[in-house]
Amino acid sequence: MLSNPTHPASSTIEAIPFSTTLHVRDTCLCLHVQRAARALARRFDNAMKPIGLTNGQFSMMMALNRPQPATMSQVASVLAMDRTTLTAALKVLERRGLIETGTDPKDRRGKLLRLTNNGMTMLSAALPIWTRVHAEIDAELNESFGDDEPNRLRKTLNRIR
């Protein structure tokens, strides 16, 4: 065990066996989902890089693709993000002129979000890329695990959520 002389209880802390580390690595659902999410995100990020979007920005813009401007709460709910993280991410899109924010006339404290014309153009360029990569992933899952695996996986993930 490494001792930490600055930690008052360093001499009484029991080491966690490496076998426990391996057990967590092999069984932790959260870790497995995070690793899969990162791999999928990288794949979509790489595909969208030529047009200057990330998969997260695509998802945010898609959440704003609606007939009426969206509230922060609506977008946060769709993306399962807290408002602080969402606000920071939206500022990047706003600086690029892809979205605009306005005051909610029903609640002057709230903001309404909408795609700009440039944002809609960017989203239109990104959608075929998303469609192609998504179809490739679905085909790979079907080939590896059998027909309808992508739908079973989506249903399982939605139940966990």
Side-chain angles (χ1 to χ4, degrees):
M1 175 170 71
L2 296 176
S3 68
N4 181 351
T6 62
H7 194 284
S10 65
S11 61
T12 61
I13 297 174
E14 268 191 60
I16 298 170
F18 186 60
S19 60
T20 302
T21 300
L22 297 176
H23 174 73
V24 169
R25 179 199 67 193
D26 295 343
T27 62
C28 179
L29 287 174
C30 188
L31 175 61
H32 285 275
V33 170
Q34 287 172 336
R35 289 171 62 184
R38 286 186 199 107
L40 286 171
R42 272 192 305 275
R43 191 160 173 181
F44 281 99
D45 283 346
N46 289 336
M48 291 195 190
K49 190 174 188 169
I51 64 168
L53 275 186
T54 66
N55 77 85
Q57 291 168 336
F58 172 81
S59 294
M60 277 184 255
M61 292 173 67
M62 192 55 75
L64 295 174
N65 184 42
R66 48 180 73 211
Q68 301 299 319
T71 65
M72 291 285 284
S73 294
Q74 289 169 327
V75 177
S77 176
V78 168
L79 299 174
M81 293 176 82
D82 64 80
R83 292 173 61 103
T84 304
T85 304
L86 178 61
T87 298
L90 289 169
K91 284 183 183 188
V92 173
L93 295 176
E94 191 170 24
R95 280 193 301 269
R96 291 180 60 191
L98 301 175
I99 67 163
E100 6 180 78
T101 60
T103 304
D104 186 344
K106 295 176 186 167
D107 179 359
R108 308 285 304 158
R109 298 167 296 164
K111 290 183 180 181
L112 292 177
L113 310 162
R114 74 172 191 86
L115 292 170
T116 63
N117 288 339
N118 286 342
M120 186 54 78
T121 299
M122 179 66 81
L123 190 59
S124 295
L127 186 57
I129 297 168
W130 178 89
T131 301
R132 175 183 52 80
V133 174
H134 210 275
E136 290 169 0
I137 293 167
D138 279 358
E140 290 167 15
L141 287 171
N142 281 329
E143 185 178 318
S144 296
F145 302 107
D147 288 342
D148 206 39
E149 182 60 24
N151 287 328
R152 283 194 298 271
L153 180 57
R154 280 186 277 278
K155 286 176 186 173
T156 299
L157 292 172
N158 277 325
R159 281 194 304 260
I160 291 170
R161 186 178 56 111

